[in-house]
């Protein structure tokens, strides 16, 4: 679900977004020489559940499956944020991006 779709449904949302080139905890794109892209999460402000995400970066085709699983299991943004991910990998970025939500 996009930010706009959530707001159209009357949901209050919190947004976590960061450019891949600015994510210190995401070495994989720099290692392969392609730090382009963004990671964005749309989170329900009340329940803290992840409503949607935009993943546009190296290895996003793999990271999206992890995010989709978290959403199907109704994990909170904090639960996903607090996971330990393999190093170096693109999943490491989830810790840093979701930390913006507090």
């Amino acid at each position: 679900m996009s930010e706009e779709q959530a707001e159209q449904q009357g949901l209050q949302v919190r947004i976590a977004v960061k450019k891949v080139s600015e994510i210190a905890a995401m070495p994989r794109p720099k290692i392969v020489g392609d730090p382009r892209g963004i990671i964005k999460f749309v989170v329900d402000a009340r329940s803290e559940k992840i409503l949607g995400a935009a993943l546009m970066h190296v290895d996003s085709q793999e990271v999206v499956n992890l995010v989709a699983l978290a959403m199907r299991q109704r994990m909170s943004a904090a639960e996903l944020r607090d996971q330990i991910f393999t190093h170096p990998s693109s999943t490491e970025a989830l810790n840093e991006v979701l930390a913006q939500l507090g």
Side-chain angles (χ1 to χ4, degrees):
M1 182 179 299
S2 70
E3 182 177 358
E4 294 79 20
Q5 290 168 325
E7 290 173 347
Q8 287 173 356
Q9 292 185 24
L11 298 171
Q12 292 181 333
V13 297
R14 297 177 67 201
I15 304 299
V17 63
K18 200 160 193 182
K19 291 180 183 178
V20 169
S21 62
E22 297 172 359
I23 301 173
M26 190 178 184
R28 178 105 173 106
K30 295 168 186 91
I31 290 168
V32 299
D34 190 359
R36 298 174 298 156
I38 66 159
I39 296 176
K40 178 180 180 178
F41 281 89
V42 180
V43 176
D44 184 285
R46 288 193 178 128
S47 71
E48 298 279 325
K49 300 300 180 203
I50 302 165
L51 301 174
L55 306 167
M56 294 174 266
H57 58 80
V58 166
D59 297 332
S60 62
Q61 76 280 3
E62 295 178 15
V63 179
V64 70
N65 295 314
L66 174 64
V67 173
L69 177 63
M71 291 173 66
R72 284 192 304 273
Q73 295 302 310
R74 304 199 37 80
M75 289 178 77
S76 70
E79 289 172 318
L80 183 58
R81 175 200 67 212
D82 294 343
Q83 298 301 305
I84 298 171
F85 299 109
T86 304
H87 176 78
S89 72
S90 293
T91 55
E92 290 180 282
L94 302 179
N95 305 116
E96 187 173 326
V97 174
L98 290 170
Q100 294 177 337
L101 298 173

